[in-house]
Amino acid sequence: MQHTDTTEQISTLIERFYTKDIACENTLSSLMECVRPAIRKRLQDKHITGEDLEDLYIEAIERLL
């Protein structure tokens, strides 16, 4: 159930980001915090750590947007 809630939250945040419904900086920050645990877990499952993990996390966020 939490996956669906998170997916809906992400969709809402992305929509707000692109429509500028709320301040873009706040929306982007909220979006990043929402997806950060899932992206980090996925990367760690692939044994990616340290600076590589952070670099790939940032790249994933950029691709998401």
Side-chain angles (χ1 to χ4, degrees), residues 11-37:
S11 294
T12 300
L13 289 168
I14 290 172
E15 182 179 328
R16 287 180 176 174
F17 178 77
Y18 281 112
T19 61
K20 296 177 177 56
D21 183 37
I22 59 177
C24 286
E25 185 175 317
N26 291 338
T27 302
L28 183 56
S29 177
S30 296
L31 176 62
M32 290 174 64
E33 288 305 312
C34 185
V35 299
R36 183 179 185 91

